[in-house]
Amino acid sequence: MNLFDEAIARRRNEKGGLDWLSDWQVNSANMTASAIIIMAEGFETGPLYVPMPTGSGKTTGAIWGIIRFAKDFPDQRLCFMTLYKDSVDEVYKSLVEELGNDVVGHYHGDAAVDKDDELAKRIIVLTHQFIQYNQGALDDRDLFVVDEAIYATGEATLKLEHFNQARSWATSHNIYPDEFTKLANFANELDRQLQDSDKKYIAASRSGDLSWAQTIAFDLKLTDYSQTTAYRGVLVANQRFCEALLQGLVFLSRGNIDRDRYDPIYSAAVLGIPNLEKTIVLSATGGMVYDIAGSFKQDSQSKAYWAPPSYEQLKLVHLSGPDLPPYYDSWIGQDKKDKVVRYIDWVLSNVKEDTIYMTMPKKVLDGCLRDYLGQLTKGELEYPISVTKHGKQIKVSHHARSVGSNAFAECKAVVYLWDNHLPQDAAVRRFHTLANEEITDKALEEANKRRLVGNYERIREAQYIDNMMQQIGRGSTEHR
């Protein structure tokens, strides 16, 4: 990476030294801030991504860029989106110190604030999940800055009973009963078509009158019926299904069981960011997927001055594992659980560092390690789990959590165990959502082979690498 010494010195002088940041972190943060301003000025059109490694200062740079944006563009409105509630609070606090809480707002489920009051402010800090439950609330934003890769703002995976539950709610409360009846009939007909075929996947057709889908997706305001909504999550998923259907982004799969059983899954997703051409994503690894599908391009600054992230300096050790079946669901017998425990205990005993971040698939952690980690046999687990083993401090989480988190930055080693298997449906859904390419039966031919091929296969493989790189990046400079 080329360092801009004068710019680094100037930024340090402006910010009181920034002694806790190295020169390359200050340089990276400067580039992130500049990417935001360049887009605001109209010199680059999105969607863009800034691909810098974990710990390089992307979030710090975003804060600097947003502060300048608020001062230089007083008539424009910006939304910053991040993965976690804690991150929302941290970024909000930093922005308020510079801009004041009359300019900066924030919202998430645990924030003791009025959502409408916060959305009225020029700068708003939210989680990625906000758009899915607040459709249209951000249509007035001129610029979106997204911390960590985003592949959809509204995803829905439904079973047939979810459509029937939604219809029951609608008919029993007389809330768009005809529209929800047509939706349930549509889902049942799609299920019949899949049963009659020999395919793993079929596309949902957009032919015919879909005015009922338009009504459910955009006219139904669930906040008006909060007292009657026992199935809010199901109804939101039905709305996303209808929105995706109108864009041609719905398909039905036989389910990920085996060839002799049938448990159909309806998949739908929309990217959903209202102002995509004014969107910039900060992600160490998202480009691997964005380069396969979609209109996201790397910003010009990082492309010109930042070499692609290299992980050659990491101490990656691929350890042989115990003899276990490939499906984590089958690790339920006591003999299999004992193998998992013995293996993990052996791994931890052989890691020389005394602070370790360990991550693995949730099903393995939940199904095999509760007793070993001193957790209750039932109930939800609180993450991260902190334990002491072999005189070492261990923090434990699972692969679906902690992306973008700095909570484990002091851990001297990272233990990443077993692949983060995602359903094949996820790769199919992600490709079409990012590419904005209609899902048709012809397009699904590459999914209906014995295994995924083509872009579906590339997306799936990229997701494995993406998750591993993200989790390894949670720790300090030396990793396992």
Side-chain angles (χ1 to χ4, degrees), residues 449-467:
K449 300 181 185 297
R450 186 176 60 84
R451 62 177 181 83
L452 295 182
V453 298
N455 284 324
Y456 300 144
E457 181 183 27
R458 293 174 65 205
I459 287 276
R460 195 178 193 206
E461 290 177 350
Q463 289 176 150
Y464 283 120
I465 301 170
D466 175 278
N467 186 259

Side-chain angles (χ1 to χ4, degrees), residues 463-480:
Q463 289 176 150
Y464 283 120
I465 301 170
D466 175 278
N467 186 259
M468 183 179 296
M469 289 170 64
Q470 281 284 358
Q471 294 293 355
I472 287 174
R474 296 309 103 213
S476 184
T477 56
E478 189 173 357
H479 307 284
R480 288 291 184 265

Side-chain angles (χ1 to χ4, degrees), residues 132-354:
Q132 179 166 357
Y133 295 94
N134 298 273
Q135 192 177 65
L138 299 174
D139 289 354
D140 63 342
R141 298 291 148 173
D142 299 289
L143 190 66
F144 286 84
V145 180
V146 185
D147 199 10
E148 296 303 336
I150 192 167
Y151 305 115
T153 60
E155 289 186 299
T157 53
L158 301 102
K159 299 292 187 69
L160 193 57
E161 60 263 29
H162 296 142
F163 297 101
N164 294 327
Q165 287 172 353
R167 179 182 61 184
S168 177
W169 172 83
T171 55
S172 62
H173 293 94
N174 196 31
I175 301 170
Y176 297 118
D178 293 341
E179 286 78 3
F180 275 95
T181 297
K182 290 178 180 177
L183 170 58
N185 291 343
F186 181 90
N188 276 279
E189 173 59 22
L190 196 61
D191 175 62
R192 186 195 63 77
Q193 292 174 20
L194 184 61
Q195 289 184 62
D196 291 345
S197 77
D198 59 354
K199 299 176 180 177
K200 294 189 295 183
Y201 301 93
I202 63 169
S205 172
R206 284 200 291 172
S207 62
D209 179 15
L210 295 179
S211 58
W212 51 269
Q214 181 80 21
T215 297
I216 294 172
F218 301 110
D219 295 342
L220 173 64
K221 308 299 181 187
L222 289 175
T223 53
D224 296 340
Y225 307 105
S226 58
Q227 300 302 314
T228 65
T229 312
Y231 298 112
R232 177 172 173 77
V234 169
L235 292 171
V236 168
N238 273 257
Q239 281 193 301
R240 295 293 77 75
F241 178 93
C242 289
E243 184 181 357
L245 176 63
L246 294 168
Q247 297 181 33
L249 296 174
V250 167
F251 65 95
L252 178 62
S253 74
R254 289 186 174 271
N256 293 280
I257 301 178
D258 58 46
R259 67 181 61 185
D260 298 321
R261 291 182 288 173
Y262 180 73
D263 187 24
I265 298 173
Y266 298 80
S267 289
V270 291
L271 190 54
I273 296 177
N275 200 354
L276 201 57
E277 68 275 10
K278 286 288 188 177
T279 297
I280 187 164
V281 175
L282 318 175
S283 174
T285 59
M288 290 191 301
V289 175
Y290 291 148
D291 287 344
I292 296 170
S295 54
F296 284 83
K297 304 299 179 186
Q298 185 175 350
D299 75 296
S300 59
Q301 283 211 122
S302 66
K303 185 181 293 185
Y305 298 108
W306 183 277
S310 172
Y311 289 80
E312 294 176 358
Q313 302 305 314
L314 295 179
K315 295 182 179 179
L316 294 176
V317 180
H318 190 186
L319 302 173
S320 59
D323 182 18
L324 289 164
Y327 300 106
Y328 306 140
D329 285 339
S330 66
W331 298 7
I332 54 177
Q334 192 59 49
D335 59 330
K336 295 182 178 66
K337 293 182 181 180
D338 289 344
K339 279 186 179 181
V340 172
V341 169
R342 287 195 300 269
Y343 175 65
I344 288 177
D345 192 67
W346 172 78
V347 169
L348 294 177
S349 70
N350 281 278
V351 174
K352 68 178 182 180
E353 289 78 7
D354 58 3

Side-chain angles (χ1 to χ4, degrees), residues 110-130:
D110 295 332
V113 295
D114 182 274
K115 179 170 64 176
D116 292 334
D117 289 345
E118 299 301 290
L119 287 169
K121 300 174 183 179
R122 285 204 298 122
I123 309 296
I124 187 72
V125 185
L126 305 165
T127 63
H128 286 195
Q129 293 76 32
F130 181 86

